[in-house]
Amino acid sequence: MKYTKEHEWMRVEGDLVVVGITEHAATQLGDVVFVELPETETMVAEGDEVCVIESVKAASDILAPLDGEIVEVNTKLVDKPALVNEDPTGEAWFFKMKIDDLAALDDYMDEDEYADFIG
Amino acid sequence: MTDLAQSDLKRLVLHDLHVSLGGKMVPFAGYDMPVQYPAGVMTEHLHTRAAAGLFDVSHMGQVILRPHGDMAALVAAFEALMPVDVAGLAEGRQRYGLFTNETGGILDDLMFANRGDHLFVVVNAACKEADVAHMTAHLSAVAEVEHITDRALLALQGPMAEAALAAWVPGVAEMRFMDVRVFDTGFGPMWVSRSGYTGEDGFEISVPESGAMDLARALLSTEGVMPIGLGARDSLRLEAGLCLYGHDIDTTTSPVEAGLTWAIQKVRRTGGARAGDFPGAARILREMDHGPERLRVGLSPQTRAPMREGTQLFDPDGTPLGEVTSGGFGPSVQAPIAMGYVAASHATPGTALEGEVRGKRMAVTVTPLPFHPTTYKR
């Protein structure tokens, strides 16, 4: 798994990249009550705001970690936002992206580096 | 904008307890306050409704008004600051009040109690210095205005609050909603009112700082009691339809617009024996008699997206109508909820409106308040 400074994780699945938020991010957000997902077949650029997550406390965005196309979204999160707190790195993935070159992931933190990053 | 440095924040007497309980501390009204504990806002909220929650509200202002001579002179002078019946408040009872300004806006909302030979007043943290100055300016001729700074204030709220507090102070079980009593206890003299700001039955307890830690630990060791942070305090009061000063009410909103006419007793209204003679009476009585231009309403977003403070509200035809003043998610109603001001023509429950969230207009319906029924022990 690879990690961004925005507390998102990325996992390669075949030729796709699965994206979610880390346990640390889910804990910081608190109880998630609303998730807004992007449309599929959308081209996005790194840093674009593609999802909205709202906790009891506040709203925050999920950014596209890479340039590419959103090909699948996890509609289960719309009906059950609490999954984000229950299983952030498993069942609560947000979207899958098709990117040109999986080597783009090499620039991101690995698990140990992310653990250091969050202290 | 720079955040207050941690060192500039005032610390509550229970600060170390909050930290040891895992409280996440944030700046609020100049104090370092727990916004939540490890259980989280949702669990803390639901626990308060199901059992009992202990809140540290020691940041709020506690003031004693002690008459120089006659209580009646103080009562009359205090009544001149509010559109509220002070003279009719019996000894041992508490009432909700509002300081108004000359234009009929609200300077602060408060609780005041008749304790026989003096009045006890509890005001909002962010307004307390201004409130003390206001009372000193207007009441010094008839009373001593004593800002109490050596007492903590705890709130114990929820269906198990009575049993939990009665385990330590048995007499509280006999109190009814808005009763006030003084108890001599091992924690020091406790000033207890049967009230709170969650919509639940419960108590607010003023206790000497010297006894506050022991009292808090005692209550937390009692069956059903859990510490609750500011996050859940906010969602609880929003579900109960209660106003947060500086958000739902301020110096521009009148009590009538805010839907607080229940706090203006008949005797102070047009035709009453002591009608008017409070700051802003012209506007407030006119709005009571003829209706205000806008009203605070409950709002139920029709999608799952919460509508937060500042969300603009529109008629479905696009006409701007007002904005959300408090909004979020209601853990007990399991849906997004909000309050805000809309034109009086659109304030009837059931009216379909739209709110703009992230550039999109979403359906929202005017809803009666409270969102969650109150359970006061009347």
Side-chain angles (χ1 to χ4, degrees):
Chain A
M1 226 161 357
K2 289 289 195 173
Y3 299 88
T4 73
K5 287 181 177 167
E6 285 75 36
H7 307 286
E8 292 162 33
W9 55 258
M10 295 172 283
R11 188 174 63 217
V12 176
E13 193 180 278
D15 61 344
L16 301 180
V17 178
V18 188
V19 181
I21 67 165
T22 65
E23 182 110 38
H24 173 77
T27 305
Q28 290 297 312
L29 279 172
D31 304 294
V32 174
V33 296
F34 172 75
V35 172
E36 186 176 283
L37 296 166
E39 302 279 329
T40 53
E41 296 174 32
T42 314
M43 298 303 296
V44 295
E46 181 184 334
D48 283 358
E49 294 166 3
V50 288
C51 302
V52 177
I53 315 181
E54 299 220 22
S55 71
V56 185
K57 284 179 279 180
S60 33
D61 297 307
I62 296 189
L63 310 181
L66 302 158
D67 297 345
E69 182 187 359
I70 307 277
V71 294
E72 196 181 335
V73 296
N74 186 1
T75 53
K76 258 202 274 185
L77 298 183
V78 175
D79 295 326
K80 206 182 169 209
L83 271 183
V84 177
N85 300 105
E86 287 162 20
D87 191 12
T89 53
E91 233 188 310
W93 57 276
F94 278 74
F95 53 87
K96 298 181 183 179
M97 297 181 72
K98 188 181 278 177
I99 65 170
D100 283 345
D101 184 1
L102 289 173
L105 269 76
D106 296 345
D107 299 339
Y108 289 91
M109 292 179 275
D110 64 21
E111 188 145 4
D112 288 344
E113 288 166 328
Y114 181 68
D116 286 344
F117 176 67
I118 59 174
Chain B
M1 287 277 285
T2 51
D3 287 328
L4 279 175
Q6 290 292 314
S7 58
D8 292 338
L9 291 175
K10 285 175 269 188
R11 284 195 168 186
L12 305 169
V13 70
L14 299 182
H15 183 271
D16 292 351
L17 177 64
H18 300 310
V19 171
S20 73
L21 291 168
K24 185 173 168 186
M25 308 301 283
V26 301
F28 182 83
Y31 287 83
D32 199 19
M33 302 277 296
V35 66
Q36 66 170 81
Y37 297 90
V41 176
M42 190 88 82
T43 301
E44 291 171 26
H45 176 118
L46 296 172
H47 183 88
T48 303
R49 295 248 188 267
L54 182 68
F55 304 73
D56 185 359
V57 290
S58 303
H59 59 311
M60 296 185 79
Q62 303 181 56
V63 182
I64 280 186
L65 306 176
R66 206 177 291 283
H68 294 317
D70 194 358
M71 220 8 213
L74 165 61
V75 164
F78 195 50
E79 198 166 81
L81 301 179
M82 305 195 292
V84 174
D85 177 11
V86 180
L89 182 66
E91 183 174 345
R93 296 285 294 163
Q94 175 178 269
R95 186 165 275 177
Y96 179 77
L98 302 150
F99 289 143
T100 48
N101 64 20
E102 289 303 328
T103 55
I106 301 170
L107 294 170
D108 198 8
D109 63 340
L110 53 106
M111 290 287 188
F112 65 99
N114 177 352
R115 298 212 310 201
D117 60 357
H118 66 274
L119 298 175
F120 177 56
V121 185
V122 178
V123 300
N124 283 304
C127 303
K128 66 184 177 184
E129 302 302 335
D131 289 335
V132 169
H134 183 63
M135 288 187 276
T136 303
H138 291 93
L139 304 175
S140 286
V142 292
E144 190 178 336
V145 177
E146 205 181 316
H147 188 183
I148 308 291
T149 53
D150 56 358
R151 285 182 157 261
L153 192 66
L154 303 180
L156 187 65
Q157 302 279 294
M160 291 177 74
E162 179 188 286
L165 187 56
W168 302 92
V169 188
V172 300
E174 293 149 25
M175 297 172 72
R176 315 287 299 179
F177 183 57
M178 291 292 208
D179 278 352
V180 294
R181 276 182 63 181
V182 174
F183 295 93
D184 278 313
T185 72
F187 310 104
M190 270 166 51
W191 305 345
V192 180
S193 73
R194 191 150 198 165
S195 64
Y197 220 59
T198 60
E200 296 295 319
D201 178 29
F203 301 87
E204 289 197 351
I205 308 151
S206 171
V207 62
E209 284 192 343
S210 55
M213 186 63 90
D214 286 345
L215 174 62
R217 287 191 192 283
L219 291 172
L220 288 171
S221 73
T222 310
E223 192 195 346
V225 181
M226 186 171 172
I228 311 295
L230 289 177
R233 182 169 164 83
D234 191 50
S235 57
L236 287 158
R237 70 91 199 163
L238 177 56
E239 276 187 348
L242 299 169
C243 291
L244 179 60
Y245 191 82
H247 299 261
D248 307 302
I249 49 176
D250 60 27
T251 52
T252 68
T253 59
S254 79
V256 187
E257 292 175 334
L260 299 173
T261 49
W262 56 266
I264 304 176
Q265 287 77 17
K266 238 179 175 169
V267 70
R268 306 301 307 275
R269 300 182 183 186
T270 304
R274 298 193 309 286
D277 197 24
F278 54 82
R283 173 186 175 187
I284 291 167
L285 295 182
R286 185 187 68 238
E287 287 181 352
M288 284 197 77
D289 296 340
H290 303 291
E293 284 176 19
R294 57 176 186 165
L295 273 168
R296 179 175 65 98
V297 293
L299 297 162
S300 291
Q302 297 298 294
T303 69
R304 284 164 174 269
M307 292 186 182
R308 308 272 176 187
E309 181 176 357
T311 300
Q312 298 298 304
L313 298 167
F314 301 88
D315 188 272
D317 73 8
T319 311
L321 292 175
E323 68 175 54
V324 170
T325 51
S326 281
F329 185 83
S332 299
V333 299
Q334 278 296 305
I337 53 173
M339 302 195 297
Y341 285 84
V342 297
S345 55
H346 289 69
T348 310
T351 305
L353 308 178
E354 289 180 351
E356 189 166 303
V357 179
R358 293 179 282 273
K360 277 180 268 180
R361 300 277 169 95
M362 323 271 261
V364 54
T365 305
V366 176
T367 307
L369 294 171
F371 295 99
H372 183 84
T374 56
T375 54
Y376 306 130
K377 191 178 166 187
R378 293 189 190 275

